[in-house]
Amino acid sequence: MKEYKMRRGETLEDRIPDMESTVEEYFGPITETTEYKGSDLYVVAEPDNPVFERIVAGAVSYSGKKDRLGVEFEERDPTELSPDDLEAAGDAVDAKNDFLLEATGRDAKSRRDSMKRDVEDDAPDY
């Protein structure tokens, strides 16, 4: 599970007031919820795009901190996909990036940079 921060001064609730319908809009009908760190996240067991096997997404709440977006994209093995399904790979990447941009306000480059900083901050100083 990856967790994403929002841009400074923004909250997930401001960016996506209705997480359930947004997840359904991007990925397909929600089939269940699952618990992660005390928060209920939405599960799309049969996503609309055949490249995805399963998607888990939702708000992860922390006491005294802003909520973060928790997301897990499980993708099918490319060797198992038909040629038609492989054509949907570009749409799958677009759906992921568009959803993450809408939720976090950050493009792919700034999300990568932010995650690198988090890893660097966690590294012990020798």
Side-chain angles (χ1 to χ4, degrees):
M1 178 77 59
K2 287 187 180 178
E3 293 183 24
Y4 296 91
K5 295 180 185 178
M6 305 309 109
R7 283 193 308 203
R8 180 166 292 177
E10 295 183 347
T11 64
L12 184 57
E13 178 69 24
D14 292 339
R15 295 203 58 84
I16 299 184
D18 185 358
M19 181 63 73
E20 184 175 5
S21 66
T22 303
V23 169
E24 287 183 333
E25 178 184 321
Y26 277 98
F27 306 112
I30 293 169
T31 53
E32 62 183 302
T33 59
T34 187
E35 191 269 334
Y36 175 75
K37 293 187 178 181
S39 299
D40 285 333
L41 305 183
Y42 299 109
V43 177
V44 180
E46 295 181 21
D48 292 340
N49 191 305
V51 172
F52 297 120
E53 189 165 328
R54 181 175 182 258
I55 296 169
V56 180
V60 180
S61 299
Y62 288 97
S63 175
K65 294 183 183 179
K66 291 195 302 186
D67 289 355
R68 289 185 175 197
L69 174 68
V71 181
E72 184 172 48
F73 296 104
E74 293 178 23
E75 297 179 2
R76 297 187 195 286
D77 183 347
T79 60
E80 297 174 2
L81 298 174
S82 71
D84 291 339
D85 291 347
L86 284 173
E87 288 182 19
D91 292 338
V93 170
D94 289 345
K96 269 199 300 195
N97 283 329
D98 291 348
F99 174 74
L100 292 172
L101 177 62
E102 182 177 342
T104 65
R106 298 172 177 222
D107 62 11
K109 183 181 183 313
S110 64
R111 289 192 307 267
R112 266 192 311 277
D113 291 345
S114 177
M115 287 193 165
K116 283 181 189 174
R117 282 192 300 277
D118 284 351
V119 169
E120 290 167 357
D121 291 345
D122 292 343
D125 293 329
Y126 293 103

